[in-house]
Each structure stands twice: as structure tokens, then as C-alpha cells.
Amino acid sequence: MADIEVKRITIHELVQLQKIGRQTFQDTFSDSNSEENMKTYLAEKFSSEKLTSELNNKDSEFYFATLDNNVIGYLKVNFGDSQTELKDNKALEIERIYVSKEFHGKKVGQLLYDKAIEIARQKNTEYVWLGVWEENLRALSFYRKNGFVEFDKHIFKLGNDEQTDIMMKLKLAN
């Protein structure tokens, strides 16, 4: 298999981001959510306006994983005030790591995750945190394997459905 590249993306790649974002979210969650709730969420969270403002936000960064110039996954990290919850300047939030279905189990998620940890270290953050849907066992086991521990729960709304996310963090050694 050729080398998978991880690179930071800009506003010029908005359309690819929208495509991979919608596709991977749909693949991951459509079986366990109503079509209506999925439609609403995808329309809101992956609208051009929303993604434009996120891409232009200095406290958020997006990265693509590409193979032969095809986008096969992406990462979104947040710092400072753009974090969805804690807003701790000593922390980095991994908001999203998604990989195309056909590349599951091929270490793409691990590469994106490693990139997030590298960014956290460059920024001298003390810990990395994230929220994972309690029923996403695959993701929970991935983060536990990487040393994350649970510290809280919060409600994530998908359309009119309230779901519980498990919040996890990883303390970085200095």
C-alpha cells in the first residue's frame, strides 16, 4: 500500500471536507439514528457556512489523510475558546477523527490520532480530551488502547435525539 499522507487543509478544500465529513458521519451513525435526524445534522454541521467559519477559525485545524491524492479520512482539533466544552488553554480537543469505511482497520485513524498528539505537544498542552458516543464501541476501545481515561459524560443532540457522550482525556507527559 502506498504511503498515506496527513496534511493540513485550507478553505480551498472545503468541498472535499464537506464530502468526507458527510460520508463518514453517515457511514458511522446512520444505522443507529433516524433518517430525519441524520439529514438535519448533516445539513447543519457540514454546511458551507459552518465549515467556512471553522476553517477560518485560528483555534481550529483540519487535516486530511490522503492516499494517491484521494481523501480517505480527516481530523479536526480545537484549542482555546473553540473547544466545544472545556475551553481550557492547557488542553487540546480532538473533535473529529473519521476514516472512510473501506479504510477501517488500516491504521488511518491511528495516523490522524498521532498527528493530533504531535500538535498537542507542539502547543505544550497538558492534556488531550474528546467526547465519544457511548455506543461507539469501536472508538471507545481505540481511545482506551491509546491511554485515554473517562472523566465525565455529556449530552450530544443529534436532531431531536439526546445521546450520551463519554468524555475522555489523556494527560501528556512533559
Side-chain angles (χ1 to χ4, degrees):
M1 194 152 145
D3 286 344
I4 294 168
E5 279 185 76
V6 174
K7 64 179 182 67
R8 183 151 179 203
I9 67 171
T10 66
I11 197 75
H12 304 295
E13 288 136 319
L14 175 86
V15 175
Q16 289 108 301
L17 177 61
Q18 207 167 31
K19 191 169 162 245
I20 188 83
R22 285 183 172 149
Q23 174 214 321
T24 53
F25 194 88
Q26 182 94 36
D27 288 349
T28 308
F29 300 111
S30 60
D31 290 352
S32 20
N33 291 284
S34 76
E35 195 176 330
E36 197 173 317
N37 283 342
M38 285 296 290
K39 270 203 182 104
T40 305
Y41 185 87
L42 291 171
E44 282 171 14
K45 296 294 180 185
F46 296 100
S47 69
S48 299
E49 298 73 31
K50 175 112 174 91
L51 291 177
T52 298
S53 92
E54 291 179 355
L55 282 162
N56 287 329
N57 180 339
K58 67 176 177 31
D59 287 333
S60 293
E61 293 178 7
F62 287 87
Y63 292 81
F64 278 157
T66 60
L67 180 62
D68 304 326
N69 293 321
N70 293 314
V71 177
I72 59 172
Y74 78 106
L75 161 71
K76 181 183 183 206
V77 292
N78 299 315
F79 338 96
D81 287 343
S82 70
Q83 295 175 82
T84 55
E85 296 251 327
L86 302 180
K87 315 233 189 278
D88 182 340
N89 287 327
K90 297 191 273 307
L92 173 138
E93 174 192 17
I94 296 178
E95 187 182 345
R96 299 189 185 135
I97 290 183
Y98 283 104
V99 175
S100 294
K101 230 183 2 209
E102 59 273 31
F103 290 95
H104 282 181
K106 295 194 166 50
K107 303 272 185 263
V108 182
Q110 190 67 47
L111 281 172
L112 290 166
Y113 167 80
D114 291 344
K115 182 68 185 176
I117 298 299
E118 181 192 313
I119 297 163
R121 290 189 192 288
Q122 283 166 355
K123 295 193 175 281
N124 292 319
T125 55
E126 290 174 12
Y127 64 97
V128 177
W129 72 275
L130 45 84
V132 179
W133 185 34
E134 63 184 351
E135 290 180 40
N136 189 346
L137 302 178
R138 190 195 167 96
L140 286 168
S141 111
F142 174 81
Y143 290 117
R144 285 190 187 114
K145 190 185 83 194
N146 279 292
F148 278 74
V149 291
E150 297 168 27
F151 71 95
D152 203 355
K153 288 187 156 78
H154 71 163
I155 298 299
F156 174 85
K157 281 192 74 124
L158 201 144
N160 60 13
D161 188 19
E162 293 201 343
Q163 302 177 350
T164 301
D165 272 4
I166 293 174
M167 295 174 71
M168 304 176 87
K169 69 162 71 167
L170 172 72
K171 196 164 167 27
L172 296 176
N174 295 334

